Amino acid sequence: MELSGLRITIIGAGIGGLSAALALRARGAEVRILEQAEAIREVGAGIQISPNGLRVIEALGLGDGFRSISVAGQAVSLRASGGAEVLRLDLTRLPADQSYRFVHRADLVDLLAARARAQGIRVRLLQKVREITPGAVPQIALCNGDATSADLVIGADGLHSVLRPTLNGRAEPFFTGQVAWRAVVPNTVGHPAEARVHMGPGRHMVSYPLRGGDMVNLVAVEERRGWVEESWSHRDDATNLRQAFAGFGGVVPGLLAAVETPGLWGLFRHPVAAQWHGPGVALLGDAAHPTLPFLAQGANMALEDAWVLSDALASAQTLDHGLANYQARRRDRVQKVITAANGNAWKYHLRNPLVRGVAHLGLGVVGRMAPGAMMRQFDWLYAHDVTA
């Protein structure tokens, strides 16, 4: 299918939307992005870009720029609450063509946005979409009363997507019984270039460096019975976070001492959308398949989506065939990733001291006896190359 001149409107200027815009523009499409915020910016903090996501960044021509704003991860270290290392996954054992990196989300968005502007992609701010009507010429109704259309509309508008319920009906997510704090603090503890998972009964905290190692990203998860709203904008008193992890040792107390006003949000589980596309419309990233943050794959899946969507359209005879092929190529993979992420939380939160001790001992033995095997279990995820 010839994409040259195809008018594409993308809803949302996050990582998925900007990446899709670049991939489609490279194939000749006329792309614009509608973003409801007053500026292109990304809430949140650090993210982990694994080799499968990095391949897309490199294919977009941004490899050198990305390496300059990110930290190369050397290991993933699972640690008991007291600070002792239980298992070490040596990321330097990855093949030479694979790299695992830590980056501030805002820095990656800035990199993508700068390239989008340089490629002539129009970004319109303060454009909150009220409704999208699929069709041969899909229609977009804005909250300010304006209306517009395109040949293809892509909903890259996240958890609360306007397009998703149009294609799938409304489905209420369910609370997982877990909440998460997030914060970025100065690296006053000499945190090395590795992701550390600090595990305790009913809770865990992930830490890794950002911005040349000067900062440390924190995501702390605690099991909790009740929560009101799924949102990225709640703030909490840092005292609550410090109290939740008061029994932890190692670098945890030093990191938490520097937290000022952490973000706090409830973790909800959403089903993968049954239908990712309709006449002239498609879903991408979290709008199609939100994932819990226990495998660090949310941004990576959005990057993969962006590349596959552009490739599926370019290799199809019609728009409908291309959209169907996009969903067929992506749905099973993201379902496998989400299932794996869902299964990770309980492993970090073992409450029974005996069970926890046996599990940690077993992990340590396997990690020391067969470190290569421990890394190969991730081949299905990291070795996957959607750009091949």
Side-chain angles (χ1 to χ4, degrees), residues 12-85:
I15 291 171
L18 288 165
S19 300
L22 290 171
L24 291 161
R25 182 74 188 103
R27 296 179 183 273
E30 296 295 327
V31 185
R32 66 173 174 173
I33 301 173
L34 303 184
E35 168 57 45
Q36 65 179 346
E38 63 183 12
I40 296 181
R41 58 172 178 258
E42 185 60 70
V43 298
I47 54 175
Q48 301 175 52
I49 299 297
S50 50
N52 49 304
L54 180 57
R55 290 188 180 94
V56 176
I57 293 173
E58 291 174 335
L60 293 174
L62 296 170
D64 290 343
F66 179 72
R67 279 183 282 274
S68 72
I69 62 171
S70 59
V71 175
Q74 301 300 302
V76 176
S77 173
L78 274 61
R79 293 175 174 257
S81 58
E85 187 170 75

Side-chain angles (χ1 to χ4, degrees), residues 161-328:
S161 171
V162 173
L163 179 59
R164 175 170 170 142
T166 299
L167 297 175
N168 295 274
R170 295 201 174 274
E172 290 298 322
F174 69 89
F175 180 51
T176 63
Q178 300 171 94
V179 299
W181 291 272
R182 62 162 181 243
V184 177
V185 299
N187 187 4
T188 59
V189 301
H191 198 297
E194 59 189 41
R196 290 184 170 179
V197 183
H198 313 269
M199 305 176 294
R203 68 207 66 212
H204 78 277
M205 188 177 85
V206 178
S207 60
Y208 53 85
L210 301 172
R211 293 180 169 165
D214 293 336
M215 310 297 291
V216 176
N217 186 72
L218 304 178
V219 178
V221 177
E222 179 189 38
E223 294 176 6
R224 186 179 294 185
R225 289 185 179 276
W227 186 255
V228 177
E229 179 186 3
E230 184 177 31
S231 172
W232 290 88
S233 58
H234 290 289
R235 292 290 169 182
D236 195 25
D237 188 326
T239 302
N240 296 328
L241 170 57
R242 285 189 276 269
Q243 288 177 345
F245 288 82
F248 282 58
V251 300
V252 173
L255 292 170
L256 294 183
V259 176
E260 295 180 354
T261 308
L264 175 66
W265 77 102
L267 299 181
F268 285 72
R269 189 176 296 173
H270 299 250
V272 175
Q275 192 64 36
W276 293 26
H277 64 92
V281 298
L283 297 171
L284 184 144
D286 280 353
H289 48 77
T291 180
L292 295 174
F294 302 138
L295 198 60
Q297 284 297 305
N300 293 289
M301 289 300 101
L303 287 163
E304 287 189 7
D305 282 356
W307 188 270
V308 172
L309 175 59
S310 67
D311 183 67
L313 291 175
S315 58
Q317 292 186 336
T318 68
L319 182 62
D320 287 344
H321 288 156
L323 295 178
N325 188 27
Y326 159 62
Q327 175 170 340

